[in-house]
Amino acid sequence: MADINKEALIKKDRLRFTKNKVSSTLIILSIVANALYFVSIYRSDVGSYYYKIFIGASVVYNLVFMLAAFLASEGVKNYKISYAYVSIVLGVLQIARIFYLPKEAHETENPMVGFEGEMVMGNEQFTYVSVLLVISAALLVCAGIVGIMKTTTLRNYQAELDKKQ
């Protein structure tokens, strides 16, 4: 029993000297999933469908998302709890994105001549990009939860150490 308590104490003490690489890596992987998502969307050749203001907004959102996610990655790596919450919010936004561009494109008929009756985004691509966004969201939420848990553990341990001094 004493060995278990000693191991738990060592684990907590190690948090003071190591970075939160788990959360950071999960967020970086979510950025990769997002990059695969937007490559799939933007390489599609469906006439002028994507040449509208909302695709410009989507490009800007992707850039802001990747910057915010990278910043969150660096923040959670250094046990800053606010960045763990940012990670969770970004995860929720990734889920919401499914209902913006992919769903719209999946429900809109292709404007190119010779593609009557086909959708801008077929079932296969819609499934692919939706899965990528869900993976990205899950990674972000997991990173946020791990970040909150580790940061809280470290803060509580620091408070214990401060009381002892």
Side-chain angles (χ1 to χ4, degrees), residues 62-111:
N62 272 315
L63 294 172
V64 170
F65 166 81
M66 288 189 291
L67 286 170
F70 184 74
L71 182 62
S73 166
E74 290 300 308
V76 296
K77 188 189 299 183
N78 294 306
Y79 298 103
K80 295 190 172 136
I81 201 160
S82 59
Y83 289 103
Y85 291 115
V86 167
S87 177
I88 293 171
V89 168
L90 288 173
V92 170
L93 290 173
Q94 287 293 82
I95 294 294
R97 289 179 75 188
I98 295 170
F99 302 101
Y100 174 60
L101 184 61
K103 188 171 186 285
E104 284 287 319
H106 185 61
E107 294 174 349
T108 303
E109 194 169 308
N110 193 331

Side-chain angles (χ1 to χ4, degrees), residues 6-16 18 153:
K6 194 173 186 178
E7 284 181 36
L9 186 62
I10 291 171
K11 256 186 165 176
K12 284 189 223 178
D13 200 45
R14 281 199 67 206
L15 290 175
R16 296 184 330 164
T18 60
T153 301

Side-chain angles (χ1 to χ4, degrees), residues 5-155:
N5 289 337
K6 194 173 186 178
E7 284 181 36
L9 186 62
I10 291 171
K11 256 186 165 176
K12 284 189 223 178
D13 200 45
R14 281 199 67 206
L15 290 175
R16 296 184 330 164
F17 307 105
T18 60
K19 302 280 186 185
N20 182 359
K21 292 179 187 171
V22 173
S23 291
S24 179
T25 302
L26 291 173
I27 294 174
I28 296 298
L29 290 173
S30 80
I31 293 171
V32 170
N34 184 71
L36 292 172
Y37 157 79
F38 76 74
V39 165
S40 176
I41 296 281
Y42 301 148
R43 72 180 170 89
S44 299
D45 182 20
V46 287
S48 63
Y49 179 78
Y50 287 124
Y51 300 112
K52 296 179 182 169
I53 189 74
F54 78 96
I55 199 68
S58 177
V59 170
V60 170
Y61 178 83
N62 272 315
L63 294 172
V64 170
F65 166 81
M66 288 189 291
L67 286 170
F70 184 74
L71 182 62
S73 166
E74 290 300 308
V76 296
K77 188 189 299 183
N78 294 306
Y79 298 103
K80 295 190 172 136
I81 201 160
S82 59
Y83 289 103
Y85 291 115
V86 167
S87 177
I88 293 171
V89 168
L90 288 173
V92 170
L93 290 173
Q94 287 293 82
I95 294 294
R97 289 179 75 188
I98 295 170
F99 302 101
Y100 174 60
L101 184 61
K103 188 171 186 285
E104 284 287 319
H106 185 61
E107 294 174 349
T108 303
E109 194 169 308
N110 193 331
M112 291 180 69
V113 176
F115 290 94
E116 290 80 16
E118 288 186 31
M119 298 298 123
V120 169
M121 184 182 292
N123 291 335
E124 190 175 299
Q125 185 183 19
F126 177 72
T127 302
Y128 176 70
V129 297
S130 296
V131 166
L132 287 173
L133 287 173
V134 168
I135 288 170
S136 178
L139 290 168
L140 286 162
V141 170
C142 287
I145 291 169
V146 169
I148 290 168
M149 289 171 36
K150 284 188 170 192
T151 303
T152 303
T153 301
L154 179 60
R155 283 183 180 176

